[in-house]
Coordinates of all heavy atoms in Angstrom, one line a residue:
L371 N 56.2 101.5 117.4 CA 56.0 101.4 115.9 C 54.5 101.2 115.5 O 54.1 101.5 114.4 CB 56.9 100.3 115.3 CG 57.1 100.2 113.8 CD1 57.7 101.4 113.3 CD2 58.0 99.0 113.5
D372 N 53.8 100.5 116.4 CA 52.4 100.2 116.1 C 51.5 101.3 116.7 O 51.5 101.6 117.9 CB 52.1 98.8 116.8 CG 50.6 98.4 116.5 OD1 49.8 99.2 116.3 OD2 50.4 97.1 116.6
P373 N 50.7 101.9 115.8 CA 49.8 103.0 116.3 C 48.9 102.6 117.4 O 48.5 103.4 118.3 CB 49.1 103.5 115.0 CG 49.3 102.5 114.0 CD 50.5 101.7 114.4
V374 N 48.4 101.4 117.3 CA 47.4 100.9 118.3 C 48.1 100.8 119.7 O 47.6 101.2 120.8 CB 46.8 99.6 117.9 CG1 45.9 99.0 119.0 CG2 46.1 99.7 116.6
V375 N 49.3 100.3 119.6 CA 50.2 100.2 120.9 C 50.4 101.5 121.5 O 50.3 101.8 122.7 CB 51.4 99.4 120.6 CG1 52.4 99.5 121.8 CG2 51.1 97.9 120.3
L376 N 50.8 102.5 120.6 CA 51.1 103.8 121.0 C 49.9 104.5 121.7 O 50.1 105.1 122.8 CB 51.6 104.7 119.8 CG 52.2 106.1 120.2 CD1 53.3 106.0 121.1 CD2 52.6 106.8 118.9
A377 N 48.8 104.3 121.1 CA 47.5 104.9 121.7 C 47.2 104.2 123.0 O 46.8 104.9 123.9 CB 46.4 104.7 120.7
G378 N 47.5 102.9 123.1 CA 47.2 102.2 124.3 C 48.1 102.7 125.5 O 47.7 102.9 126.6
M379 N 49.4 102.9 125.1 CA 50.4 103.4 126.1 C 50.0 104.8 126.6 O 50.1 105.1 127.8 CB 51.8 103.5 125.4 CG 52.5 102.2 125.2 SD 53.9 102.4 124.0 CE 55.0 103.5 125.0
L380 N 49.5 105.6 125.7 CA 49.1 106.9 126.1 C 47.9 106.9 127.0 O 47.9 107.6 128.1 CB 48.8 107.8 124.8 CG 48.3 109.2 125.0 CD1 49.4 110.0 125.8 CD2 48.0 109.9 123.7
R381 N 46.9 106.1 126.7 CA 45.7 106.0 127.5 C 46.1 105.5 128.9 O 45.7 106.0 129.9 CB 44.8 105.0 126.8 CG 43.4 104.9 127.3 CD 42.5 103.9 126.7 NE 43.2 102.6 126.7 CZ 43.5 101.9 125.6 NH1 43.2 102.3 124.4 NH2 44.1 100.7 125.8
D382 N 46.9 104.4 128.9 CA 47.3 103.9 130.2 C 48.1 104.9 131.1 O 48.0 105.0 132.3 CB 48.2 102.6 130.0 CG 47.5 101.5 129.5 OD1 46.2 101.6 129.3 OD2 48.1 100.4 129.2
A383 N 48.9 105.7 130.4 CA 49.7 106.7 131.1 C 48.8 107.8 131.7 O 49.0 108.3 132.8 CB 50.8 107.4 130.2
R384 N 47.8 108.2 130.9 CA 46.8 109.2 131.4 C 46.1 108.6 132.7 O 46.0 109.3 133.7 CB 45.8 109.5 130.4 CG 46.2 110.5 129.4 CD 45.0 110.9 128.5 NE 45.4 111.6 127.3 CZ 45.7 112.9 127.3 NH1 45.5 113.6 128.4 NH2 46.1 113.5 126.2
E385 N 45.7 107.4 132.6 CA 45.0 106.8 133.7 C 45.9 106.7 134.9 O 45.4 107.0 136.1 CB 44.5 105.4 133.4 CG 43.2 105.4 132.5 CD 42.9 104.0 132.0 OE1 43.4 102.9 132.6 OE2 42.1 103.9 131.1
A386 N 47.1 106.3 134.7 CA 48.1 106.2 135.8 C 48.3 107.5 136.5 O 48.3 107.7 137.7 CB 49.4 105.6 135.3
S387 N 48.4 108.6 135.6 CA 48.7 109.9 136.2 C 47.5 110.4 137.0 O 47.7 111.0 138.1 CB 49.0 110.9 135.1 OG 47.8 111.3 134.4
E388 N 46.3 110.1 136.6 CA 45.1 110.5 137.3 C 45.0 109.7 138.7 O 44.7 110.3 139.7 CB 43.9 110.3 136.5 CG 43.7 111.5 135.6 CD 42.9 111.2 134.3 OE1 42.2 110.2 134.3 OE2 43.1 112.0 133.3
R389 N 45.3 108.4 138.6 CA 45.3 107.7 139.8 C 46.4 108.2 140.8 O 46.0 108.4 142.0 CB 45.6 106.2 139.5 CG 45.4 105.2 140.6 CD 45.7 103.8 140.2 NE 47.1 103.6 139.9 CZ 47.6 103.3 138.7 NH1 46.8 103.1 137.7 NH2 48.9 103.1 138.5
C390 N 47.6 108.4 140.3 CA 48.6 108.9 141.2 C 48.3 110.3 141.8 O 48.6 110.6 142.9 CB 50.0 108.9 140.5 SG 50.5 107.3 139.9
A391 N 47.7 111.1 140.9 CA 47.3 112.5 141.4 C 46.2 112.3 142.5 O 46.3 113.0 143.6 CB 46.7 113.2 140.2
H392 N 45.3 111.4 142.3 CA 44.2 111.2 143.3 C 44.8 110.8 144.6 O 44.4 111.3 145.7 CB 43.2 110.2 142.7 CG 42.0 110.0 143.6 ND1 41.0 110.9 143.8 CD2 41.7 108.9 144.4 CE1 40.2 110.4 144.6 NE2 40.6 109.2 145.0
E393 N 45.7 109.8 144.5 CA 46.3 109.2 145.8 C 47.0 110.3 146.6 O 47.1 110.2 147.8 CB 47.3 108.1 145.4 CG 46.6 106.8 145.0 CD 47.6 105.8 144.5 OE1 48.8 105.9 144.7 OE2 47.1 104.7 144.0
N394 N 47.5 111.3 145.9 CA 48.3 112.4 146.6 C 47.5 113.6 146.8 O 48.0 114.7 147.1 CB 49.6 112.6 145.8 CG 50.6 111.5 145.9 OD1 51.3 111.4 146.9 ND2 50.6 110.6 144.9
R395 N 46.2 113.6 146.4 CA 45.3 114.7 146.6 C 45.7 115.9 145.8 O 45.7 117.0 146.3 CB 45.0 115.0 148.0 CG 44.5 113.8 148.8 CD 44.1 114.1 150.2 NE 45.1 114.7 151.0 CZ 45.1 115.8 151.7 NH1 43.9 116.4 151.8 NH2 46.1 116.2 152.4
V396 N 46.3 115.7 144.6 CA 46.7 116.8 143.7 C 45.9 116.6 142.4 O 45.2 115.7 142.1 CB 48.2 116.8 143.5 CG1 49.0 116.8 144.8 CG2 48.7 115.6 142.6
S397 N 46.0 117.6 141.5 CA 45.4 117.5 140.2 C 46.5 117.4 139.1 O 47.7 117.7 139.4 CB 44.6 118.8 139.9 OG 45.4 119.9 139.9
V398 N 46.1 116.9 138.0 CA 47.1 116.8 136.9 C 46.5 117.3 135.6 O 45.4 117.1 135.3 CB 47.6 115.4 136.7 CG1 46.4 114.4 136.4 CG2 48.7 115.2 135.7
D399 N 47.3 118.1 134.8 CA 47.0 118.6 133.5 C 48.0 118.1 132.5 O 49.2 118.2 132.7 CB 46.9 120.1 133.5 CG 45.8 120.6 134.3 OD1 44.6 120.3 134.0 OD2 46.0 121.3 135.3
W400 N 47.5 117.7 131.4 CA 48.4 117.3 130.3 C 48.4 118.3 129.2 O 47.4 118.9 128.8 CB 47.8 115.9 129.6 CG 48.1 114.7 130.4 CD1 47.7 114.5 131.7 CD2 48.9 113.6 130.0 NE1 48.1 113.2 132.1 CE2 48.8 112.7 131.1 CE3 49.6 113.2 128.9 CZ2 49.5 111.4 131.0 CZ3 50.2 112.0 128.8 CH2 50.2 111.1 129.9
H401 N 49.7 118.5 128.6 CA 49.8 119.5 127.6 C 50.7 118.8 126.5 O 51.9 118.4 126.8 CB 50.5 120.7 128.1 CG 51.1 121.6 127.1 ND1 50.3 122.3 126.2 CD2 52.3 122.0 126.8 CE1 51.1 123.0 125.4 NE2 52.3 122.9 125.8
R402 N 50.2 118.7 125.3 CA 51.0 118.0 124.2 C 52.1 118.9 123.7 O 51.8 120.0 123.3 CB 50.1 117.5 123.1 CG 50.9 116.9 122.0 CD 50.0 116.3 120.9 NE 49.5 115.0 121.2 CZ 48.3 114.5 120.9 NH1 47.5 115.2 120.3 NH2 48.1 113.2 121.2

Side-chain angles (χ1 to χ4, degrees):
L371 191 59
D372 181 335
V374 176
V375 170
L376 186 59
M379 285 164 66
L380 177 59
R381 193 183 53 238
D382 290 357
R384 276 187 195 279
E385 279 172 18
S387 73
E388 277 153 23
R389 191 180 64 246
C390 299
H392 181 74
E393 283 172 13
N394 289 281
R395 302 188 302 131
V396 306
S397 63
V398 60
D399 291 300
W400 283 61
H401 164 66
R402 176 175 274 145

